[in-house]
Amino acid sequence: MITIYDLAKKTGFSSTTVSKALNNYPDVSKKTKQAIIDTAAEMGYLPNAHAQSLSTKKSWTIGVMFSESNGVGMKHPFFSGVIESFRKHAEKEGYDLILASRNLRNRGTSYLEHFLYRGVDGIMVICSDPKDPQVQEMINSSIPIVVIDMSNQECSVVFSDNLSGGELAINYLYSLGHTKIAHIAGDHTIYAGKIRIKGYMDAMKKRELPVRDGYLVNGGLFSIQDGALAMEKLLDLADPPTAVFVAGDHMAIGAMETAKARGYRIPEDLSIIGYDDIEMASYVTPKLTTIKQDTDQIGVRATQLLMKQIIQKKKIVTEEIIPVTLMERESCTRLIK
Amino acid sequence: MITIYDLAKKTGFSSTTVSKALNNYPDVSKKTKQAIIDTAAEMGYLPNAHAQSLSTKKSWTIGVMFSESNGVGMKHPFFSGVIESFRKHAEKEGYDLILASRNLRNRGTSYLEHFLYRGVDGIMVICSDPKDPQVQEMINSSIPIVVIDMSNQECSVVFSDNLSGGELAINYLYSLGHTKIAHIAGDHTIYAGKIRIKGYMDAMKKRELPVRDGYLVNGGLFSIQDGALAMEKLLDLADPPTAVFVAGDHMAIGAMETAKARGYRIPEDLSIIGYDDIEMASYVTPKLTTIKQDTDQIGVRATQLLMKQIIQKKKIVTEEIIPVTLMERESCTRLIK
DNA sequence: AACTTCAACGAAAGCGCTTTCGATCCAGAG
DNA sequence: CTCTGGATCGAAAGCGCTTTCGTTGAAGTT
């Protein structure tokens, strides 16, 4: 490894001047600056990030944490979509992402501690559980942070407009003539799940549609199996719905599976609308009509929010709500009386 | 931030002893060791990773790079599956992953340079293009590295058994009575694509099945659209196949779409088998029969291989071939004459 | 000629930690 | 009572870089 001292020796300047030249300080002449840069290139010099960070207290890294409540981790399309978008944009600003582990050598450290240990400049969290103590700890610390997919009054958050998502869905279904509309909900410990329930309830009330007994069924942790199970309950009802708004695409797909298995035709006998617009939604049969979350935009806004805090060196608390859109496909149709 | 000097002051020992106590050196008594650890906990001491790395030349980080030939990046289920598995296992060994960017502040640095700059202990690469110059550069360097999804004679690689994958597929189709079997291939600049072609050709030859004109069609970069296009070509043939082995699930799904659009029933009129076993495969209609790549196992083996090199401090060149399995679902059926 | 100004450079301390190499002290050996 | 060896501890250098502050010399002022 070649250091600034090597460059100093070679060029005849001091290490101070070398450092300044490399960092484009004003108090070094054009000529020596060029000379130093040239020999740096020639000798294949690379700065040492650790030394730099130690000295400047800035690491140009961002810690990324996602809670894996249901064990899917990065494999969930929503997560990987957001992370990828975030990565791309953070990269443009010069930051690397570090995917942190918790159970590092020094046992029993929290994520916050771990990020502190790593000296990250900021933290990006994707978490759906507002009560997660690990996330709380990070939010309460003074480090710049942006959290995605939940709401919080004490930090920067960005999440989809889950409320109007429900409105959109119900409105659409209603416009197709449906009135017996059920909701397969995400667990209410999960922020998005809770709000989507509210969206559903509000929209139903607004149109004076009754939420019949059993029409609000908990679909658990958003998995395909959960959705399948929930649909069973719905179809077991004495007076089953003609349309169902499902809080997640995976669940919706599971729901379609059981409906089909039970002989229902979709959408003729039962309209289904999902939430997320994962890639799969476009390729199941029938193609799933759904509420699209804009993972790209979420990543973009999250980056901006975090950068702002890092630069200003102060936390800013704000809510960034990303609009959702209705993706009209094939799983819903006009109610035939 | 509180340092070992603060601990030294508080406990009355030297910083040397504090450091030794924290690192469990043998030449510090049980009693003082405990005292130091206690006050460290009490004062909320956290080591500084940058200082540590600077001093020890070990960063406990692994650089991760994936080539985004087709722009999907981490969003592709295979990538995110492997990365997630790798992360989990590297974490157990005490390593954090750093997702690197190339165009950092210092413009025009390569990935290798960037990883060197970051001082990673090793590199994990997911790349399908054996010719990628960036990857070559890394392989040729002396840093521990493991590359996934391609073959190479000069480093540790782990990839699926693409050859027997083809064999498996053709064998299965053949056992169902098919002889007119086509192949929608991945571009041959992509390692997996190339080998799967070979697997197809070998298996066909082995059974003395003719590869008719136009039966080997290039599906490009593994996208759904690519697959759809390729299937058009196949169905335009004067003597179209009765079964097709597709080099990737996305392509297979695209292929199914056009086949269905053209009025073919699957599997009655046309059997289709894919490659990957992405989640979606189980939920399209009909459920896609496919060759499953074991992303978990790939991640596990990659971690092990990399750890080994890091510990032994020397590159080891070896090939780890992960078995694939046939996932029999609904998109293939016995040929009805 | 004496003085101010400014551009260009360098000495040195500091960032927080590790590690080598002594130094010290005391128990037990001779 | 002296010597040896082992157990504990610390001084100091070093990792590679940044940054403050001072120094130098030449150009410009009066």
Side-chain angles (χ1 to χ4, degrees):
Chain A
M1 163 162 254
I2 127 157
T3 74
I4 53 170
Y5 292 98
D6 300 321
L7 293 185
K9 202 166 298 172
K10 183 92 167 194
T11 58
F13 294 100
S14 73
S15 63
T16 304
T17 303
V18 171
S19 172
K20 287 180 178 174
L22 261 17
N23 289 295
N24 204 30
Y25 270 54
D27 66 339
V28 30
S29 75
K30 276 258 176 254
K31 201 198 305 178
T32 68
K33 199 174 288 188
Q34 195 54 53
I36 289 173
I37 290 177
D38 286 348
T39 68
E42 171 190 327
M43 298 181 71
Y45 167 78
L46 282 178
N48 179 313
H50 298 124
Q52 261 178 193
S53 302
L54 181 58
S55 184
T56 59
K57 271 131 178 29
K58 166 125 186 122
S59 68
W60 292 97
T61 58
I62 291 172
V64 170
M65 177 247 183
F66 39 88
S67 65
E68 327 172 38
S69 46
N70 37 8
V72 293
M74 191 176 349
K75 280 191 282 193
H76 193 290
F78 177 76
F79 282 14
S80 62
V82 169
I83 295 178
E84 178 67 0
S85 165
F86 187 87
R87 186 186 70 77
K88 278 208 190 105
H89 293 93
E91 173 173 328
K92 282 208 193 92
E93 307 287 333
Y95 289 85
D96 281 346
L97 265 42
I98 119 168
L99 262 38
S101 54
R102 190 170 16 172
N103 47 348
L104 217 43
R105 286 142 289 153
N106 31 354
R107 302 239 130 255
T109 58
S110 67
Y111 275 104
L112 173 63
E113 287 172 329
H114 188 70
F115 284 138
L116 256 22
Y117 161 69
R118 282 292 183 199
V120 301
D121 296 332
I123 297 179
M124 185 275 245
V125 168
I126 309 184
C127 178
S128 317
D129 178 6
K131 297 224 176 67
D132 188 316
Q134 291 267 342
V135 176
Q136 284 303 332
E137 191 188 7
M138 294 193 254
I139 291 175
N140 294 332
S141 82
S142 62
I143 195 169
I145 187 173
V146 55
V147 0
I148 292 173
D149 209 26
M150 57 172 254
S151 175
N152 184 286
Q153 303 304 324
E154 301 164 27
C155 67
S156 286
V157 292
V158 11
F159 51 86
S160 286
D161 191 349
N162 292 300
L163 212 50
S164 354
E167 169 83 15
L168 257 178
I170 303 306
N171 198 29
Y172 175 62
L173 259 16
Y174 182 72
S175 79
L176 293 177
H178 293 278
T179 56
K180 289 159 56 175
I181 305 174
H183 179 46
I184 295 184
D187 197 273
H188 57 276
T189 61
I190 287 168
Y191 178 74
K194 203 169 82 181
I195 303 303
R196 287 169 200 171
I197 293 176
K198 182 163 162 44
Y200 164 74
M201 297 297 276
D202 285 2
M204 292 295 276
K205 175 175 287 177
K206 190 163 160 192
R207 283 174 193 68
E208 297 179 345
L209 298 174
V211 174
R212 290 172 160 78
D213 253 13
Y215 269 30
L216 178 57
V217 27
N218 187 335
L221 261 21
F222 290 84
S223 75
I224 293 179
Q225 292 76 5
D226 288 331
L229 243 62
M231 183 54 99
E232 296 280 7
K233 289 186 200 152
L234 243 28
L235 297 183
D236 284 343
L237 255 33
D239 185 19
T242 62
V244 16
F245 165 43
V246 189
D249 278 355
H250 278 116
M251 288 195 302
I253 287 164
M256 288 212 299
E257 293 263 303
T258 58
K260 285 193 282 187
R262 276 183 172 226
Y264 282 78
R265 291 167 308 160
I266 297 174
E268 295 80 0
D269 302 330
L270 187 60
S271 285
I272 293 189
I273 181 168
Y275 211 111
D276 265 353
D277 195 26
I278 61 179
E279 186 183 28
M280 210 192 306
S282 304
Y283 297 98
V284 290
T285 308
K287 302 190 201 313
L288 184 65
T289 292
T290 191
I291 305 292
K292 174 188 177 70
Q293 295 203 70
D294 192 343
T295 55
D296 275 343
Q297 197 54 30
I298 290 177
V300 170
R301 298 303 295 145
T303 316
Q304 294 174 341
L305 239 34
L306 192 53
M307 294 300 119
K308 209 161 159 189
Q309 297 181 75
I310 291 178
I311 291 168
Q312 296 181 182
K313 292 183 195 309
K314 58 187 280 264
K315 294 194 87 129
I316 81 184
V317 357
T318 178
E319 264 185 11
E320 195 85 40
I321 302 183
I322 309 298
V324 295
T325 52
L326 172 69
M327 303 300 289
E328 213 173 329
R329 288 198 268 255
E330 306 169 352
S331 64
C332 296
T333 193
R334 178 161 295 283
L335 181 68
I336 24 220
K337 287 272 162 66
Chain B
M1 163 161 252
I2 126 157
T3 74
I4 54 169
Y5 292 98
D6 300 321
L7 294 185
K9 202 166 296 172
K10 184 92 169 195
T11 59
F13 292 101
S14 73
S15 63
T16 304
T17 303
V18 171
S19 172
K20 287 181 179 172
L22 262 16
N23 289 294
N24 203 29
Y25 270 54
D27 66 339
V28 31
S29 75
K30 276 258 176 254
K31 201 198 305 180
T32 69
K33 200 174 287 188
Q34 196 55 52
I36 288 173
I37 289 177
D38 286 348
T39 68
E42 171 190 327
M43 298 181 71
Y45 167 79
L46 281 177
N48 178 314
H50 298 125
Q52 259 176 195
S53 302
L54 182 56
S55 185
T56 59
K57 273 138 175 28
K58 167 128 182 118
S59 68
W60 293 98
T61 57
I62 291 171
V64 170
M65 178 249 184
F66 39 89
S67 65
E68 326 172 40
S69 46
N70 38 8
V72 293
M74 188 178 349
K75 280 190 281 190
H76 193 289
F78 177 76
F79 283 13
S80 62
V82 170
I83 295 178
E84 178 66 2
S85 165
F86 186 87
R87 186 187 71 77
K88 279 209 190 103
H89 294 93
E91 174 174 326
K92 282 207 193 92
E93 308 287 333
Y95 289 86
D96 281 346
L97 265 41
I98 120 168
L99 263 35
S101 54
R102 192 170 14 172
N103 47 347
L104 216 43
R105 286 143 289 152
N106 30 354
R107 301 239 130 253
T109 59
S110 67
Y111 274 104
L112 173 63
E113 287 173 330
H114 189 70
F115 284 138
L116 256 22
Y117 162 68
R118 283 291 182 199
V120 300
D121 296 333
I123 297 179
M124 184 273 247
V125 168
I126 309 185
C127 179
S128 317
D129 177 7
K131 297 223 176 68
D132 188 316
Q134 292 267 341
V135 176
Q136 284 304 332
E137 189 188 7
M138 293 192 255
I139 291 176
N140 294 332
S141 82
S142 62
I143 195 169
I145 186 173
V146 55
V147 1
I148 292 173
D149 209 26
M150 58 173 252
S151 175
N152 185 285
Q153 303 305 322
E154 301 163 26
C155 68
S156 287
V157 291
V158 10
F159 51 86
S160 285
D161 191 349
N162 292 301
L163 212 51
S164 355
E167 170 84 17
L168 258 178
I170 302 307
N171 200 29
Y172 175 64
L173 259 14
Y174 183 71
S175 78
L176 292 178
H178 293 278
T179 56
K180 287 159 58 175
I181 305 175
H183 179 46
I184 294 183
D187 198 274
H188 56 276
T189 61
I190 286 167
Y191 178 74
K194 202 169 83 180
I195 304 303
R196 286 169 202 171
I197 292 176
K198 181 164 162 45
Y200 163 73
M201 297 297 275
D202 286 0
M204 291 294 276
K205 174 175 286 179
K206 189 164 160 191
R207 283 173 195 70
E208 297 181 344
L209 298 175
V211 174
R212 290 172 161 76
D213 252 14
Y215 269 29
L216 177 57
V217 27
N218 187 336
L221 263 20
F222 290 83
S223 75
I224 293 179
Q225 292 76 6
D226 289 330
L229 243 61
M231 182 56 98
E232 295 281 7
K233 290 186 199 150
L234 243 27
L235 297 183
D236 283 343
L237 255 32
D239 185 19
T242 63
V244 17
F245 164 43
V246 189
D249 278 355
H250 278 115
M251 287 194 304
I253 287 164
M256 288 212 298
E257 294 264 303
T258 58
K260 284 193 283 187
R262 276 186 172 225
Y264 282 77
R265 291 166 307 159
I266 298 173
E268 296 80 0
D269 303 330
L270 187 60
S271 285
I272 293 188
I273 181 168
Y275 212 110
D276 266 352
D277 196 26
I278 61 178
E279 186 184 28
M280 211 192 305
S282 305
Y283 297 98
V284 290
T285 308
K287 301 190 202 310
L288 184 66
T289 290
T290 191
I291 306 292
K292 175 188 175 71
Q293 295 203 69
D294 193 342
T295 55
D296 275 344
Q297 196 53 30
I298 290 176
V300 171
R301 300 301 296 143
T303 316
Q304 293 174 342
L305 240 35
L306 192 54
M307 293 299 118
K308 209 162 161 188
Q309 298 181 74
I310 291 178
I311 291 168
Q312 298 181 180
K313 292 182 197 307
K314 56 187 280 264
K315 295 195 85 130
I316 81 184
V317 358
T318 178
E319 264 186 11
E320 195 87 39
I321 301 184
I322 310 299
V324 294
T325 53
L326 173 68
M327 303 301 289
E328 215 173 327
R329 288 198 269 255
E330 306 169 353
S331 64
C332 296
T333 193
R334 178 161 294 283
L335 181 67
I336 27 224
K337 288 273 164 62

